């Protein structure tokens, strides 16, 4: 297991000098930001990330994420040129030593929350989601917490309308078309591609989603059987639905060698249904048995990359929602402890 930390580049207040001081963290997860989806990343920008990390004694072996252009998801006429650009980006990061690339296939929004500062009983704040709050919004004047509003109102409406007319089967077919073009490049470059689960893992705003359940993931793997067609196992995204058995899924996909990367965090379901709150990482703080999930990974041969996922805002820190230093550093220490104990318990090496 390689314990990593997400870093948003030179403008991130969580600097590399701070990250390197977190015990057992060996590298960063990052990307070339500021380049529009569907365009090719400059090699000098990729190498600048690598050099910056290595100057602080850290590795850069995981990219999160290479964006997938909406025309690819829509199956539009011009999708092939954007798929070609995605493939070229895989080749370029591979030449820089990257071994894993994440991506998502969520239409329009790559994550949704309805509150970025839910106040917890202990005085911390965290991200939360309420389906009823989302349903109360006017889609024609949509403003969502944390979303960068990349589209003008008329563009957003047209995009939402296009997806609402699309079936799940059509969207799934577009994902398979994409993978059939990209996975051979991953095989050629020895890069594992890990799809991130839908966040949250159900249909929102009338838009279909196709990476929400165990059945969805099985279909993706069956459609393109290469081991480089993998899953970024995000316990928080999959665990946002109380229906999934995340520890069993971790065991299943790790045993298949399909988990190159894991995002580990906890969530709670205070009201059941389609409402959740992000919590501190330890098992008692939420609804997920984090120790059982980690043990399931270790027992089934997982030896990939791991990072603590979203953290709370604690100790009066001013930070990007979900991506402050303090709570994620606590999460990293907790996760490392879980892996050390799981490996010693199963006879492996920490």
């Amino acid at each position: 297991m390689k314990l990593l930390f997400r870093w948003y580049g030179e403008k991130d207040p969580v600097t590399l000098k701070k990250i390197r001081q977190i015990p057992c963290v060996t590298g960063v997860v990052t990307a070339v930001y500021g380049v529009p989806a569907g365009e090719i990343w400059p090699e000098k920008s990729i190498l600048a990330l690598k050099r910056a990390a290595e100057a602080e004694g850290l590795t850069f072996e995981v990219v999160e994420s290479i964006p997938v252009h909406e025309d690819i998801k829509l199956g539009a006429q011009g999708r092939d040129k954007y798929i070609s650009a995605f493939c070229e980006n895989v080749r370029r990061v591979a030449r820089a030593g990257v071994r894993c690339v994440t991506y998502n296939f969520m239409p329009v929004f790559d994550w949704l929350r309805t509150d970025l500062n839910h106040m917890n009983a202990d005085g911390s704040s965290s991200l939360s989601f309420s389906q009823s709050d989302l349903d109360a919004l006017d889609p024609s004047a949509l403003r969502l917490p944390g979303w960068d509003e990349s589209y003008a109102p008329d563009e957003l409406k047209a995009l939402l309308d296009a997806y609402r007319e699309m079936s799940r089967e059509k969207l799934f077919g577009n994902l398979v078309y994409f993978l059939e073009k990209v996975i051979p490049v991953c095989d050629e470059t020895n890069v594992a591609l890990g799809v991130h689960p839908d966040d949250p893992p159900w249909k929102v705003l009338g838009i279909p989603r196709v990476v929400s359940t165990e059945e969805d993931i099985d279909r993706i793997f069956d459609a393109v059987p290469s081991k480089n067609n993998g899953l970024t196992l995000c316990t928080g995204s999959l665990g946002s639905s109380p229906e999934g058995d995340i520890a069993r899924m971790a065991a299943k996909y790790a045993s298949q060698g399909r988990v190159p990367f894991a995002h580990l965090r906890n969530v709670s379901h205070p009201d059941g249904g389609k409402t959740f709150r992000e919590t501190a990482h330890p098992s008692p703080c939420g609804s997920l048995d984090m120790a059982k999930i980690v043990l399931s990974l270790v027992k089934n041969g997982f030896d990939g990359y791991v990072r603590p996922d979203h953290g709370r805002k604690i100790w009066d820190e001013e930070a990007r929602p979900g991506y402050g230093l303090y709570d994620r550093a606590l999460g990293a220490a907790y996760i490392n402890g879980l892996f050390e104990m799981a490996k010693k318990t199963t006879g492996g090496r920490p």
Side-chain angles (χ1 to χ4, degrees), residues 214 233 235 238-239 244-255 288-300:
E214 183 176 351
L233 181 77
T235 61
L238 293 169
D245 185 339
I246 311 305
R248 187 178 60 79
M249 292 171 68
K252 174 181 175 179
Y253 296 126
S255 68
L288 304 182
D289 189 334
M290 302 301 293
K292 185 176 181 181
I293 291 169
V294 168
L295 184 60
S296 295
L297 287 169
V298 171
K299 288 175 68 175
N300 287 277

Side-chain angles (χ1 to χ4, degrees), residues 60-62 93-95 97-101 189-193 260 305:
F60 169 43
E61 297 180 1
V62 177
V93 298
R95 287 197 291 269
V98 168
R99 300 272 62 87
C100 176
V101 168
T189 56
N190 193 30
V191 169
L193 191 69
Y305 301 99

